[in-house]
């Protein structure tokens, strides 16, 4: 348990420029709240199944970590909050933000914004809907987003890695080659999705190159503090950690909305019901959640429910919004 901080506008000072666009600070004792949550959800830790279909993740030891980052970058943590883990699908949020920031709304011609109602790697809807994925957070949609980012940057995975390093303030954030290789060796379903969309003209780059960037993207390893900090631009209405603008407010709002409706696969309704925040999960056991204008939260515990979401993580976020009242509802 511990805290780490980065300063913002001091109390009593007047903020100017981009900082003035932020909401006034909210006074919560996040450290005490996190300690209470860790105690309350302890029986949930270790429940669920590890994502053994990715061999590199099959041997992850049980644990639990949680971190909160406020708008100014002060971080509060509990449990294994500094233990790195495989971010997996959480990186889809960053890829989407970068693709929209650099390429604009044209992306939405190639991917929808509706919940899928099917597993995250399903092929079923693509044929009915002419190769247009339902949303950017199922695997098919994320492949389209990474394809767009590759066209815009020429090196999608490296662009994404540099972005999360800058936003988290941690230059040691890195790819995990073992996980990337494991993803590639067991990536037939993702390859099928990509080739199927390519047949409909919805993939611009070569499928093998796209898959390579996608697998490296999903292999990025971060801890709860890193992820809470890296996601802060969504709580800051599109402002990056350095105060420059990544996204206009409307696009930050839109990403949060899609996270709310689609960020936890085919359990998004249950997540909204229990947690009431925009969130994005990954099968590495992590979940990030955004309280616009207040903070970001990241929780990790590798045991997953049948939909691929962390059992203890959802329980912890449920307790967080219950104890603080920080829900969008």
């Amino acid at each position: 348990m511990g805290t780490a901080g980065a300063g913002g506008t001091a109390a009593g000072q007047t903020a100017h420029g981009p900082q003035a666009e932020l909401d006034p600070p909210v006074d919560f004792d996040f450290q005490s709240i996190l300690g209470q949550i860790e105690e309350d959800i302890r029986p949930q830790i270790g429940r669920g199944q590890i994502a053994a279909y990715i061999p590199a993740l099959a041997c992850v030891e049980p644990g639990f970590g949680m971190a909160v980052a406020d708008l100014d970058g002060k971080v509060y943590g509990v449990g294994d909050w500094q233990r790195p883990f495989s971010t997996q699908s959480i990186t889809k949020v960053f890829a989407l933000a970068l693709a929209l920031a650099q390429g604009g709304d044209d992306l939405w011609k190639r991917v929808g914004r509706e919940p899928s109602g099917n597993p995250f790697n399903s092929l079923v809807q693509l044929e009915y809907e002419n190769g247009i994925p339902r949303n950017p957070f199922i695997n098919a949609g994320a492949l389209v987003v990474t394809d767009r980012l590759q066209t815009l940057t020429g090196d999608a995975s490296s662009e994404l890695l540099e972005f999360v390093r800058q936003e988290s303030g941690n230059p040691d954030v890195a790819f995990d080659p073992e996980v990337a290789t494991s993803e590639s060796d067991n990536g037939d379903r993702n390859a099928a999705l990509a080739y199927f969309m390519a047949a409909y003209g919805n993939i611009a780059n070569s499928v093998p190159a796209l898959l390579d960037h996608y697998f490296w993207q999903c292999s990025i390893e971060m801890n709860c503090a890193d992820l809470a900090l890296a996601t802060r631009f969504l709580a800051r209405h599109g402002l990056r950690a350095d105060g420059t603008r990544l996204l206009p407010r409307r696009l930050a709002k839109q990403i949060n909305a899609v996270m709310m409706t689609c960020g936890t696969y085919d359990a998004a309704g249950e997540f909204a019901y229990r947690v009431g925040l925009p969130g994005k999960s990954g099968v590495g056991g992590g979940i990030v959640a955004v309280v616009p204008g207040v903070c970001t939260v990241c929780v990790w515990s590798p045991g997953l429910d049948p939909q691929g979401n962390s059992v203890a993580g959802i329980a912890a976020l449920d307790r967080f919004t219950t104890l603080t009242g920080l829900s969008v509802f």
Side-chain angles (χ1 to χ4, degrees), residues 171-196:
D172 295 326
V173 169
F175 300 119
D176 184 329
E178 182 184 358
V179 171
T181 300
S182 188
E183 298 258 14
S184 180
D185 290 346
N186 296 273
D188 291 344
R189 177 64 69 102
N190 285 317
L193 292 167
Y195 278 113
F196 193 85

Side-chain angles (χ1 to χ4, degrees), residues 66-90:
M66 190 170 186
V68 174
D70 67 18
L71 296 187
D72 291 332
K74 186 173 183 181
V75 182
Y76 308 81
V78 70
D80 300 312
W81 66 293
Q82 294 178 306
R83 175 177 168 181
F85 60 88
S86 186
T87 55
Q88 294 291 311
S89 287
I90 295 174

Side-chain angles (χ1 to χ4, degrees), residues 164-309:
V164 296
R165 283 174 171 172
Q166 291 177 3
E167 294 306 292
S168 67
N170 183 359
D172 295 326
V173 169
F175 300 119
D176 184 329
E178 182 184 358
V179 171
T181 300
S182 188
E183 298 258 14
S184 180
D185 290 346
N186 296 273
D188 291 344
R189 177 64 69 102
N190 285 317
L193 292 167
Y195 278 113
F196 193 85
M197 291 186 294
Y200 279 94
N202 200 19
I203 296 295
N205 296 279
S206 77
V207 169
L210 166 61
L211 291 169
D212 189 52
H213 281 281
Y214 181 71
F215 294 143
W216 281 104
Q217 169 189 315
C218 290
S219 80
I220 291 175
E221 194 173 63
M222 301 172 75
N223 62 36
C224 291
D226 294 330
L227 275 165
L229 287 167
T231 315
R232 258 191 324 148
F233 69 93
L234 290 173
R236 289 163 56 91
H237 309 300
L239 291 182
R240 297 189 61 165
D242 64 4
T244 61
R245 182 162 289 287
L246 174 69
L247 298 165
R249 289 179 71 108
R250 68 177 180 85
L251 287 183
K253 177 194 73 174
Q254 290 169 5
I255 293 175
N256 281 327
V258 178
M259 288 173 68
M260 173 67 81
T261 58
C262 309
T264 46
Y265 312 120
D266 51 334
E270 180 69 11
F271 187 81
Y273 173 78
R274 289 187 62 185
V275 177
L277 291 173
K280 183 71 196 83
S281 60
V283 296
I287 308 174
V288 293
V290 180
V291 187
V294 179
C295 65
T296 50
V297 189
C298 181
V299 62
W300 169 80
S301 192
L304 308 177
D305 64 21
Q307 288 74 39
N309 301 308

Side-chain angles (χ1 to χ4, degrees), residues 92-106:
K92 295 172 182 177
V93 173
F94 308 121
L96 177 61
L98 289 172
L100 289 171
Q102 298 188 34
D105 290 339
D106 283 352

Side-chain angles (χ1 to χ4, degrees), residues 45-156:
I45 299 172
R47 293 186 58 193
Q49 300 295 316
I50 304 292
Y53 67 93
I54 302 173
L57 301 183
C59 57
V60 174
E61 294 294 326
F64 170 80
M66 190 170 186
V68 174
D70 67 18
L71 296 187
D72 291 332
K74 186 173 183 181
V75 182
Y76 308 81
V78 70
D80 300 312
W81 66 293
Q82 294 178 306
R83 175 177 168 181
F85 60 88
S86 186
T87 55
Q88 294 291 311
S89 287
I90 295 174
T91 60
K92 295 172 182 177
V93 173
F94 308 121
L96 177 61
L98 289 172
L100 289 171
Q102 298 188 34
D105 290 339
D106 283 352
L107 176 67
W108 298 122
K109 298 175 182 176
R110 299 177 53 191
V111 61
R113 300 184 293 270
E114 296 293 335
S116 68
N118 286 306
F120 57 84
N121 59 358
S122 174
L123 283 152
V124 173
Q125 287 171 327
L126 280 176
E127 185 167 13
Y128 290 115
E129 298 177 354
N130 300 313
I132 304 295
R134 275 288 179 95
N135 67 69
F137 295 145
I138 55 175
N139 286 17
L143 285 163
V144 170
V145 173
T146 299
D147 180 65
R148 177 63 173 152
L149 189 59
Q150 177 66 11
T151 298
L152 290 166
T153 67
D155 192 347

